[in-house]
C-alpha cells in the first residue's frame, strides 16, 4: 500500500489491517498447536503475533486489545519455556481470545458506554477463565505460580465502573518470568527488508481495463507479421522488376538512343539495386521490431494477468478454523489438510469459491465423517481427515475436496429419490452410481430427515453446481462405501481468458469454451440415422440428436458437398446434442471482452473476443444454446443436416408434415413419403402439429383424427380458418372409415380422407401425388 493510501486511513483502520493478518497467524498456529502442543516454531509465531498486536493496540489506545494480546503473549512464552502445556481446553480459550481481538478490531464505536462496558466484561471473563484453565493440574508443568504482568494501566483505573478483576493491580497468576522487549512480528507474507515488494491498492475495474489493454496490445503486435509478409511479397516483385529492367537495358544497348535516354537507362539498374538494398534493410528492422513487440506484448499480458491471480491460500484462510469448530460442535475429531496453497487462481474465481467450498467442507464434516467410536469400530483413526487440494492440470484449475468418511449410501439415496417422486423405483434400480449421485445437486435435496444448524435444509450442493456453471466449469462427485467421498471442481484458470474451439457458422467465426464441450468430431453422412423424423447418430452407445448451427443462429444454409460433417457435442449425459457447424478453425486462447451492458442479454452469446488478425468473434453461451436447441426439438422444427447441393439446389423437394400419435403409423408414413422423395417432418399430436405448421413452410399436412391435446378435426379447422394457411392441402388418414366420419373430416376442410383399413403404400403415395404432385418440382 502506498504512503498516500496509508495517510487516508484512520488509526483504527490501520489497527484493523494489522489485526487481520496477525489474528490469522494466531489461528493457524493454534490449530497446529492443538495437534502438536510443543511445536516450537508455531509457539514462536503465535508469541510474536500477540506481541505485535499488543504494540499496535497500545499505539492506537485500544486498551482492551493490549490486555488481551499481553495475556496471550505471556501464555505462549510460558509454553515456550515448558512451564505450561497447551491442551485442547486452553486452545479453545485462546481461539476465543482471537475472536475477541477480531471483534475489537472490527468495532467502530470504541467510546465509553454500554457496548464498551460489555466488551470490558467479555475481556474480564476471558482473563478469569484463561487463568482457571491454565491452573488445572493437567496443564501445569510444575508447582511454581505463573503470573502475567501487564504493563499498561488497567481499564478499571480509567473506568472505575468496570470490574476490578480486569485491573492490572491484581494480575492473573500465570508467569513470574521477566518480559523482555521484543521487536514487533512481521506481518505474514510481507518482507520487511530493503528489497521487499511493496503493495498498492488497485481497483478491480482498473485491473480489468489494464488486462484488456494488454490483450489488445498483444493482438496489435501480431499485425506486424502479416504486414512483414506483404513487404516480402513487395521485395519479390521488386526483384522481378529488376530482372525486367536488366533485360530492357541489354536490349536497348543495341539501339541508337540520344544521350539523355542512354544516361537514364544506364543509371536505372543502380537505382533499382539501391532500392532493393534499402527495402531489405527495412525488412530486417521490421522483423526485429516484430519479434521485440510480440515478446513485449506477451510479457505485458502475462504480467497483467498475473496481477489478477492470487494464491489459493488467500481464499481458504478461515476454513481450518471452521472445520475444527464444526467438528467440535458435532463431537467429531477432524483435521483439514490443505494442498496446493501456492496454486495461482483468478481473484474472481477465488472469491466465488468461498461459499461452495464452505458448503462442501461442512457437508464433509456432518454427512461424511463418522464419530470417533464408529471410526474406531471400523478400524480407522478416531480423527477424520478432510483434504482440500488445488492444482493446475491440462489447462484447467482442479479443486478437489475429499474425506475419509463413510461415503454416500446410494441405497438410501435411491429411496429418497423415489420418496420425493423424482423417479420410480424401477428406473432408480437401473441407474448407475454416478447417475444417482447427480440427484444430490438438485435444489432442496437432502438425505437428512431432521433440520439442524449445519444441514438438513437441502441448501448446499445446488449452490456449488450453480457457481461452477457460472464460471464455465463442471463438478463431479464420486464415493466409495466405507472409504469416503470426493468432489472434483474443474474450473477455468481465469475468467479473463478462455480456451476455446473456433468454428465457422454462416461464414463467421464463433468460439465455444472448451470446458463446455463434450467432444468435437467428424461424422460421415452415412452414419446419420433417422428416428421419428429426427436425425441422430450413435455416440458412446447412445443416440444424440443433430441440430444445424445455422438454424440456431438463423443464418444462411451452408453448402454440404463434403462427405463428413463437423460436429460439436454439447450437453450433459442423457441430454446431449450434436451441433453441426461448417468447419473447425482450431483451438485458441481468447481474451474475454464483456459485451456492452446496454445490449442486454444476447441470445446464445456470452461475450466477445478479438482474433489474432484483429477481427472480432463471439463467444457462445453454451447453456443458453442448449436451451435453444431443446426448444427447437420440442417444437419439431429441426431442419435436416448434411443435405447435398443436389437436394438443396434448384429443384425444390416438397415438404410434408405427418401428424400422428402412433409411433408405428408415424414412422411408416414418414418412410414411405421419404423414399418417394418428399421432405418429411413429424409431430406427435395435434398441438405439436399446429405449432409446427405455423413455424415452417409445408406443401401438405397428413394427420390422424384421434390424438391427445388436439385432435385432427380441430387441427384441420385451425389451418383452414387461418388466412395464411387456408390454402395448405390437408389429408386425413384415420382408422375411422364410416361415412359419417369421412363427411365430418371433409366438412372440417380436409382435402382428402383416407381410411387406414384400406391403407397400402400406393394408396397413400397416389393420394399425395394427386394433391401436391411429384416430390421434386
Amino acid at each position: 500500500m502506498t504512503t498516500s493510501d496509508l495517510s487516508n486511513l484512520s488509526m483504527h483502520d490501520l489497527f484493523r489491517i494489522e489485526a487481520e493478518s496477525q489474528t490469522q497467524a494466531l489461528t493457524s498456529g493454534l490449530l497446529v498447536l492443538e495437534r502438536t502442543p510443543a511445536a516450537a516454531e508455531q509457539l514462536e509465531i503465535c508469541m510474536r503475533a500477540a506481541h505485535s498486536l499488543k504494540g499496535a493496540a497500545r499505539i492506537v489506545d485500544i486498551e482492551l486489545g493490549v490486555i488481551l494480546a499481553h495475556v496471550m503473549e505471556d501464555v505462549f512464552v510460558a509454553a515456550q519455556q515448558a512451564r505450561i502445556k497447551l491442551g485442547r481446553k486452553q486452545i479453545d480459550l485462546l481461539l476465543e481470545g482471537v475472536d475477541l481481538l477480531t471483534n475489537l478490531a472490527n468495532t467502530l464505536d470504541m467510546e465509553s458506554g454500554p457496548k464498551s462496558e460489555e466488551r470490558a466484561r467479555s475481556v474480564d471473563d476471558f482473563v478469569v477463565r484463561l487463568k482457571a484453565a491454565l491452573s488445572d493440574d493437567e496443564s501445569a508443568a510444575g508447582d511454581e505460580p505463573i503470573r502475567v504482568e501487564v504493563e499498561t494501566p488497567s481499564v478499571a483505573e480509567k473506568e472505575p465502573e468496570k470490574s476490578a478483576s480486569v485491573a492490572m493491580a491484581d494480575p492473573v497468576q500465570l508467569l513470574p518470568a521477566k518480559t523482555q522487549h521484543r521487536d514487533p512480528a512481521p506481518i505474514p507474507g510481507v518482507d520487511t527488508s530493503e528489497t521487499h515488494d511493496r503493495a498498492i491498492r488497485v481497483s478491480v475495474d482498473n485491473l480489468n481495463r489494464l488486462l484488456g489493454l494488454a490483450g489488445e496490445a498483444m493482438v496489435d503486435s501480431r499485425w506486424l507479421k502479416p504486414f512483414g509478409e506483404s513487404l516480402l511479397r513487395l521485395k519479390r516483385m521488386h526483384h522481378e522488376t529488376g530482372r525486367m529492367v536488366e533485360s530492357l537495358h541489354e536490349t536497348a544497348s543495341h539501339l541508337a538512343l540520344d544521350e539523355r535516354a542512354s544516361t537514364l537507362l544506364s543509371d536505372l539498374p543502380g537505382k533499382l539495386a539501391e532500392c532493393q538494398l534499402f527495402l531489405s534493410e527495412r525488412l530486417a528492422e521490421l522483423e526485429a521490431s516484430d519479434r521485440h513487440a510480440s515478446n513485449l506484448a506477451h510479457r505485458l499480458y502475462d504480467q497483467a494477468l498475473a496481477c489478477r491471480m492470487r494464491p489459493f491460500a488467500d481464499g481458504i484462510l478461515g476454513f481450518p478454523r471452521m472445520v475444527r469448530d464444526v467438528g467440535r460442535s458435532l463431537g467429531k475429531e477432524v483435521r483439514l489438510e490443505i494442498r496446493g496453497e501456492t496454486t495461482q487462481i483468478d481473484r474472481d474465481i477465488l472469491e466465488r469459491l468461498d461459499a461452495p467450498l464452505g458448503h462442501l467442507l461442512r457437508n464433509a464434516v456432518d454427512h461424511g465423517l463418522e464419530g470417533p467410536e464408529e471410526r474406531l469400530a471400523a478400524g480407522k483413526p478416531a480423527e477424520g481427515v478432510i483434504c482440500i487440494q488445488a492444482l493446475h492440470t491440462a489447462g484447467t484449475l482442479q479443486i478437489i475436496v475429499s474425506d475419509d468418511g463413510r461415503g454416500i449410501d446410494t441405497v438410501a439415496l435411491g429411496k429418497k429419490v423415489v420418496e420425493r417422486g423424482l423417479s420410480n423405483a424401477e428406473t432408480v434400480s437401473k441407474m448407475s452410481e454416478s447417475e444417482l449421485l447427480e440427484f444430490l445437486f438438485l435444489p432442496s435435496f437432502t438425505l437428512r430427515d431432521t433440520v439442524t444448524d449445519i444441514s438438513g435444509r437441502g441448501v448446499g450442493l445446488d449452490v456449488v453446481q450453480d457457481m461452477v456453471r457460472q464460471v464455465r466449469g463442471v463438478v463431479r462427485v464420486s464415493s466409495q462405501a466405507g472409504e469416503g467421498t470426493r468432489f472434483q471442481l474443474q474450473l477455468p484458470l481465469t475468467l479473463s481468458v478462455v480456451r476455446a474451439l473456433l468454428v465457422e457458422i454462416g461464414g463467421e467465426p464463433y468460439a465455444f469454451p472448451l470446458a463446455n464441450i463434450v467432444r468435437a468430431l467428424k461424422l460421415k453422412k452415412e452414419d446419420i440415422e433417422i428416428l421419428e423424423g429426427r436425425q441422430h447418430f450413435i455416440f458412446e452407445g447412445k443416440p444424440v440428436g443433430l441440430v444445424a448451427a445455422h438454424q440456431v443462429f438463423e443464418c444462411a444454409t451452408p453448402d454440404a458437398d463434403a462427405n463428413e460433417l463437423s460436429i460439436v457435442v454439447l450437453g450433459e449425459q442423457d441430454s446431449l446434442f450434436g451441433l453441426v457447424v461448417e468447419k473447425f478453425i482450431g483451438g485458441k486462447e481468447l481474451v474475454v471482452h464483456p459485451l456492452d451492458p446496454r445490449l442486454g442479454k444476447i441470445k446464445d452469446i456470452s461475450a466477445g473476443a478479438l482474433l489474432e488478425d484483429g477481427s472480432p468473434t463471439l463467444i457462445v453461451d453454451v447453456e443458453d444454446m442448449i436451451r435453444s436447441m431443446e426448444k427447437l426439438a420440442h417444437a419439431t422444427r429441426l431442419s435436416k443436416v448434411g443435405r447435398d447441393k443436389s437436394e438443396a439446389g434448384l429443384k425444390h423437394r416438397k415438404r410434408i408434415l405427418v401428424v400422428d400419435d402412433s409411433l408405428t403409423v408415424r414412422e411408416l408414413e414418414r418412410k414411405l413419403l421419404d423414399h418417394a422423395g418428399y421432405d418429411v417432418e413429424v409431430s406427435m399430436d395435434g398441438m405439436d402439429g399446429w405449432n409446427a405448421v405455423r413455424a415452417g413452410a409445408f406443401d401438405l399436412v397428413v394427420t390422424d383424427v384421434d390424438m391427445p391435446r388436439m385432435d385432427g378435426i380441430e387441427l384441420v379447422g385451425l389451418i383452414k380458418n387461418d388466412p395464411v394457411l387456408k390454402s395448405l392441402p390437408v389429408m386425413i388418414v384415420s382408422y375411422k372409415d364410416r361415412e359419417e366420419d369421412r363427411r365430418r373430416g371433409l366438412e372440417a376442410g380436409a382435402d382428402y380422407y383416407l381410411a387406414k383399413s384400406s391403407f397400402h403404400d400406393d394408396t397413400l403415395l397416389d393420394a399425395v401425388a394427386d394433391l401436391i404432385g411429384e416430390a421434386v418440382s
Side-chain angles (χ1 to χ4, degrees), residues 524-585:
K524 294 182 178 180
K525 289 184 179 179
E526 53 264 29
D527 293 333
I528 299 177
E529 301 178 9
I530 297 179
L531 177 64
E532 294 191 30
R534 297 182 181 177
Q535 294 176 301
H536 69 275
F537 71 103
I538 302 301
F539 176 71
E540 296 182 349
K542 297 180 180 179
V544 174
L546 290 172
V547 180
H550 73 270
Q551 187 178 12
V552 178
F553 285 112
E554 299 179 358
C555 55
T557 303
D559 294 333
D561 281 341
N563 292 324
E564 290 185 327
L565 299 177
S566 300
I567 310 291
V568 181
V569 182
L570 307 171
E572 295 180 355
Q573 293 187 357
D574 294 332
S575 181
L576 292 175
F577 288 93
L579 188 73
V580 182
V581 301
E582 293 168 30
K583 67 177 181 179
F584 298 137
I585 298 176

Side-chain angles (χ1 to χ4, degrees), residues 63-121:
E63 295 182 9
L64 292 177
V66 175
I67 295 170
L68 282 170
H70 195 170
V71 170
M72 296 174 69
E73 176 191 8
D74 285 340
V75 169
F76 293 127
V77 171
Q80 284 180 303
Q81 297 174 356
R83 286 182 290 113
I84 62 172
K85 181 180 179 181
L86 297 178
R88 178 165 292 183
K89 184 177 181 180
Q90 291 75 33
I91 295 294
D92 283 343
L93 275 171
L94 290 169
L95 285 171
E96 185 178 332
V98 173
D99 292 339
L100 286 172
L101 284 168
T102 301
N103 290 336
L104 282 175
N106 293 327
T107 301
L108 297 177
D109 179 18
M110 297 300 293
E111 288 96 10
S112 61
K115 291 184 178 180
S116 179
E117 294 175 8
E118 183 179 348
R119 287 191 293 268
R121 284 194 295 271

Side-chain angles (χ1 to χ4, degrees), residues 158-221:
K158 288 203 170 185
E159 298 176 326
E161 70 277 7
K162 294 185 173 56
S163 172
S165 61
V166 186
M168 300 305 110
D170 185 20
V172 182
Q173 300 294 318
L174 291 178
L175 181 65
K178 295 181 180 179
T179 304
Q180 60 183 2
H181 175 73
R182 302 179 185 92
D183 295 330
I187 298 175
V190 177
D191 183 4
T192 56
S193 65
E194 293 182 0
T195 59
H196 72 283
D197 292 332
R198 292 178 295 175
I200 62 171
R201 284 185 172 179
V202 180
S203 71
V204 175
D205 289 340
N206 285 339
L207 199 56
N208 288 339
R209 281 193 288 269
L210 175 64
L211 186 61
L213 291 172
E216 291 181 21
M218 187 167 61
V219 169
D220 284 345
S221 69

Side-chain angles (χ1 to χ4, degrees), residues 137-265:
D137 292 338
E138 64 179 3
S139 56
D143 297 329
E144 182 181 1
I146 304 173
R147 296 176 57 87
V148 169
E149 305 252 349
V150 182
E151 302 165 359
T152 59
S154 69
V155 177
E157 291 175 355
K158 288 203 170 185
E159 298 176 326
E161 70 277 7
K162 294 185 173 56
S163 172
S165 61
V166 186
M168 300 305 110
D170 185 20
V172 182
Q173 300 294 318
L174 291 178
L175 181 65
K178 295 181 180 179
T179 304
Q180 60 183 2
H181 175 73
R182 302 179 185 92
D183 295 330
I187 298 175
V190 177
D191 183 4
T192 56
S193 65
E194 293 182 0
T195 59
H196 72 283
D197 292 332
R198 292 178 295 175
I200 62 171
R201 284 185 172 179
V202 180
S203 71
V204 175
D205 289 340
N206 285 339
L207 199 56
N208 288 339
R209 281 193 288 269
L210 175 64
L211 186 61
L213 291 172
E216 291 181 21
M218 187 167 61
V219 169
D220 284 345
S221 69
R222 294 168 180 163
W223 174 82
L224 290 175
K225 186 173 182 179
F227 180 71
E229 291 174 351
S230 67
L231 290 184
L232 283 175
R233 183 183 175 191
L234 174 61
K235 182 179 179 181
R236 289 192 296 269
M237 295 169 61
H238 217 285
H239 182 70
E240 293 174 0
T241 303
R243 292 173 56 189
M244 295 171 63
V245 168
E246 289 177 0
S247 299
L248 177 62
H249 185 270
E250 291 176 0
T251 303
S253 61
H254 302 291
L255 301 176
L257 300 176
D258 58 33
E259 183 179 353
R260 186 170 181 275
S262 179
T263 301
L264 290 174
L265 191 60

Side-chain angles (χ1 to χ4, degrees), residues 7 109 214 225 401 436 478 550 582 589 619 733:
S7 64
D109 179 18
K225 186 173 182 179
V401 179
L436 267 177
S478 59
H550 73 270
E582 293 168 30
E589 285 193 354
I619 300 174
V733 179

